[in-house]
Amino acid sequence: MTTRRSLPRVRTVVPALFLLTALIVSTSCGGSHRAAPSRTDTSQRTTARRTVPSEPKYSHLALISARSGDVLKISDLAVTSAVADGRGGWFVSGDIGLARMLPNGKLDSSWGAPGLRKIKNCGPLIKSGSRLYLAKWRDIAASTEGTAPQNSTTGENGACVIGAFDAATGKPLWVSKQLFSQSRVLELVASSTRVYAGGNFSTVGESERQGLAAFDAETGRLLDWHTPRFRFDPPTSPLVSALTLAGSRLYVGGLFSSIGGKQRYYLAALNPSTGALLPWQPPKALGGAYYPLQILVTRGQLIVPGYDAFVAVNLRTGQEPAWRSDASTVVADGKLLYLGGNIERTLGPTADTGYNLAALNLKTQNYTSWAPDLGFKYVDVGEIIPSGKQVLVVGDFTNFIG
């Protein structure tokens, strides 16, 4: 069973900080529009002849030691989703297409056909067993049978589909029927027999699916797997933003207030085989997890980073643990829980090192000393992917917002 949190988390600079930046700029320019720069002004580069504005620095990927937290490599490689390859490296997707990354951070030129580098994703990348599953753009017009569809770089003229690939070779195995045009897949999770996709779509091919669909893992065939109808109040289109498989439950999170006429705010459990709503009710402590961004079940705890809240509870007792966080991204690796924040929400007063990355020992319930400094003022963490002795962090890192 494999799960991957929502991608598009293709991240952008958060607008909320634009007002702060504008205020600082307007204040500094109030007396003169051409004030002389300070020698310590890091936004300027001074030469012997003139002062010119430096170019903003952006990076999207960091390789970090899992033991010490030392930053081993920073890269501007355009990666938006990744998954461990089981050999100390990763499979990665984004503007670079679909590729395998070696433990040293370089792309493996021997893996996959050149055409894989043209694939553009519209959702996350996951691995289950010997297969990779990727939500990718497919050109609507290129659907003649027997021909390879063209890939849309932006999705403006395309449709989002699920593709399966052999993890060993990169060979394409199947492509699902297209989802509704212009929709995205926000979450993928797979078992040995099914691939579940959640998002903001309303159809798959000609079949109605309300933000949640299941595909045959072997063939990609859309399964006759229907959930009770999702509703959201106030009236708007419900969407599924988070999924995870744990035992006999498929946990579903998103924008909904009821399923099949039964009240379920933002979080519910379904039967993975039938799609039927299970009687499980989220613990009261989870009531604040508006619009879940991710669902993680580990060591008896249910951890839900939400759009404006972070909640963790014991699944058996419903009690919250002693530790606190305000992370927007989490991943478990053995007894360690890695946490990442975004530039609107840091990790919170207990774990906030100023770097937006932390690790918690789930056994002792204490934060560790792992707190990598990526060297950027703004660190917006999209995904954290441990693999072997290293941790890959994907997101947006910059010293400039404006």
Side-chain angles (χ1 to χ4, degrees):
M1 175 269 291
T2 300
T3 183
R4 168 62 57 204
R5 62 166 293 199
S6 48
L7 155 318
R9 315 206 122 240
V10 174
R11 304 182 84 72
T12 58
V13 174
V14 178
L17 288 173
F18 178 79
L19 294 177
L20 175 60
T21 306
L23 177 61
I24 295 172
V25 171
S26 63
T27 302
S28 64
C29 296
S32 170
H33 292 289
R34 306 188 68 175
S38 164
R39 292 191 179 196
T40 59
D41 185 352
T42 57
S43 66
Q44 299 287 322
R45 179 174 65 246
T46 304
T47 67
R49 298 181 59 188
R50 58 176 177 158
T51 299
V52 296
S54 62
E55 295 183 359
K57 183 181 178 183
Y58 299 96
S59 292
H60 305 286
L61 181 151
L63 283 180
I64 302 167
S65 168
R67 181 174 182 178
S68 67
D70 291 342
V71 179
L72 307 175
K73 183 174 183 177
I74 296 287
S75 171
D76 59 0
L77 200 64
V79 172
T80 55
S81 190
V83 63
D85 67 356
R87 295 189 289 170
W90 300 266
F91 295 105
V92 296
S93 66
D95 287 348
I96 62 165
L98 176 62
R100 179 175 178 263
M101 179 180 289
L102 299 170
N104 63 7
K106 295 182 179 180
L107 298 183
D108 183 357
S109 59
S110 67
W111 185 85
L116 295 182
R117 299 296 296 274
K118 297 179 181 179
I119 291 173
K120 305 302 178 185
N121 58 334
C122 56
L125 170 68
I126 67 170
K127 182 176 183 290
S128 181
S130 62
R131 294 188 172 193
L132 299 173
Y133 300 101
L134 175 67
K136 65 190 187 79
W137 290 114
R138 176 179 178 179
D139 189 77
I140 295 175
S143 57
T144 55
E145 190 170 355
T147 63
Q150 297 176 357
N151 292 294
S152 169
T153 58
T154 64
E156 292 179 358
N157 298 312
C160 192
V161 297
I162 310 300
F165 303 84
D166 183 274
T169 64
K171 178 184 177 181
L173 301 175
W174 53 257
V175 176
S176 71
K177 293 183 178 180
Q178 67 189 37
L179 306 182
F180 185 74
S181 179
Q182 305 306 306
S183 297
R184 282 185 179 272
V185 172
L186 301 177
E187 185 71 292
L188 282 177
V189 61
S191 67
S192 60
T193 57
R194 292 180 177 88
V195 180
Y196 303 92
N200 64 346
F201 51 87
S202 58
T203 60
V204 179
E206 302 298 322
S207 303
E208 181 182 1
R209 292 292 187 275
Q210 199 184 22
L212 184 58
F215 302 87
D216 185 282
E218 186 68 26
T219 65
R221 176 177 59 88
L222 179 67
L223 297 176
D224 188 19
W225 184 89
H226 294 273
T227 66
R229 194 158 190 83
F230 289 82
R231 298 282 186 186
F232 186 57
D233 187 26
T236 188
S237 297
L239 62 83
V240 172
S241 56
L243 292 171
T244 199
L245 275 166
S248 59
R249 294 172 180 169
L250 173 65
Y251 291 99
V252 180
L255 286 180
F256 52 82
S257 54
S258 68
I259 303 179
K262 297 184 178 181
Q263 189 178 81
R264 294 289 191 278
Y265 281 104
Y266 315 124
L267 194 63
L270 304 178
N271 183 312
S273 299
T274 65
L277 179 67
L278 296 177
W280 178 83
Q281 292 273 4
K284 290 184 178 180
L286 288 172
Y290 170 75
Y291 189 177
L293 299 174
Q294 185 182 2
I295 302 171
L296 175 66
V297 177
T298 182
R299 291 181 170 249
Q301 294 187 58
L302 178 64
I303 302 171
V304 185
Y307 182 77
D308 59 359
F310 179 98
V311 182
V313 298
N314 183 294
L315 270 171
R316 183 177 59 84
T317 66
Q319 298 298 309
E320 296 183 76
W323 59 274
R324 294 289 183 269
S325 180
D326 199 21
S328 57
T329 301
V330 293
V331 66
D333 186 29
K335 66 182 180 181
L336 289 179
L337 179 72
Y338 292 99
L339 305 101
N342 60 37
I343 55 181
E344 281 188 316
R345 284 169 45 201
T346 58
L347 295 179
T350 304
D352 188 11
T353 61
Y355 307 141
N356 254 2
L357 287 164
L360 175 84
N361 186 314
L362 288 168
K363 186 175 181 179
T364 66
Q365 302 285 292
N366 293 320
Y367 282 95
T368 74
S369 60
W370 193 88
D373 179 3
L374 302 188
F376 292 87
K377 185 176 182 180
Y378 304 107
V379 175
D380 191 23
V381 180
E383 293 185 358
I384 305 172
I385 312 98
S387 183
K389 297 180 180 180
Q390 298 180 96
V391 177
L392 177 67
V393 176
V394 174
D396 288 328
F397 322 135
T398 184
N399 288 321
F400 176 83
I401 293 180

